[in-house]
Amino acid sequence: MKVVLIVAAVLICVIGAADAYIRLAPINPDRYAVDGLAKPAGNYPETGGFQAARTLDDPQAEMEALDGIIAGTARTTRVRGSAKDGYAAYVTRSALWGFPDVTTVWVDGDSLQIRGHLVFGKSDLGVNKARIEGWLDEAGL
């Protein structure tokens, strides 16, 4: 019985430490970089993420509208830039474990680019695609 309690206590400590690391570890600033990532209009699934590009008459105005939608998303925080700058980065955390996903939105010429990707692991289980497509649908893009 004593061994079972010790194993359970160690397991709880390991899970707690992993959760703390996921929630508190700083995110490498390179995760917010967008240089060279702009794509032609379309949708682009990626390993662990998703990118979409839309050619628009006024991408800056659409980015400002999209920023309001993103800012209203649960567990999402802007961590870099602003819509007025034409570049913004956000972190959205999962409800249970707090896994971070980084989303960058930027204006590139006449296009609006949005890219979301995981920070930990290899598969986001389609979460970034669903989130980005939901935001774009809500913005009418």
Side-chain angles (χ1 to χ4, degrees):
M1 179 67 169
K2 195 173 196 180
V3 172
V4 172
L5 290 176
I6 292 171
V7 169
V10 168
L11 185 60
I12 289 170
C13 288
V14 168
I15 290 171
D19 183 53
Y21 177 77
I22 289 167
R23 290 181 187 273
L24 302 174
I27 297 172
N28 183 337
D30 292 344
R31 294 280 188 174
Y32 308 128
V34 296
D35 294 337
L37 294 178
K39 297 187 184 312
N43 294 326
Y44 302 91
E46 301 176 355
T47 300
F50 182 76
Q51 182 168 338
R54 302 292 185 264
T55 302
L56 303 166
D57 291 334
D58 189 355
Q60 184 65 43
E62 296 294 351
M63 181 175 174
E64 290 178 22
L66 190 59
D67 178 70
I69 294 166
I70 295 170
T73 302
R75 300 175 311 282
T76 300
T77 306
R78 184 183 307 111
V79 293
R80 290 270 163 89
S82 72
K84 291 187 187 331
D85 297 336
Y87 164 83
Y90 310 84
V91 173
T92 303
R93 293 190 174 270
S94 64
L96 179 61
W97 286 104
F99 280 103
D101 290 331
V102 172
T103 303
T104 48
V105 183
W106 71 102
V107 172
D108 185 76
D110 65 349
S111 73
L112 179 66
Q113 306 278 326
I114 182 167
R115 179 175 185 263
H117 58 90
L118 54 72
V119 173
F120 298 107
K122 295 187 185 225
S123 174
D124 69 347
L125 302 174
V127 171
N128 282 293
K129 179 181 180 191
R131 183 182 305 118
I132 289 171
E133 286 180 336
W135 288 337
L136 292 173
D137 286 348
E138 190 172 340
L141 303 173

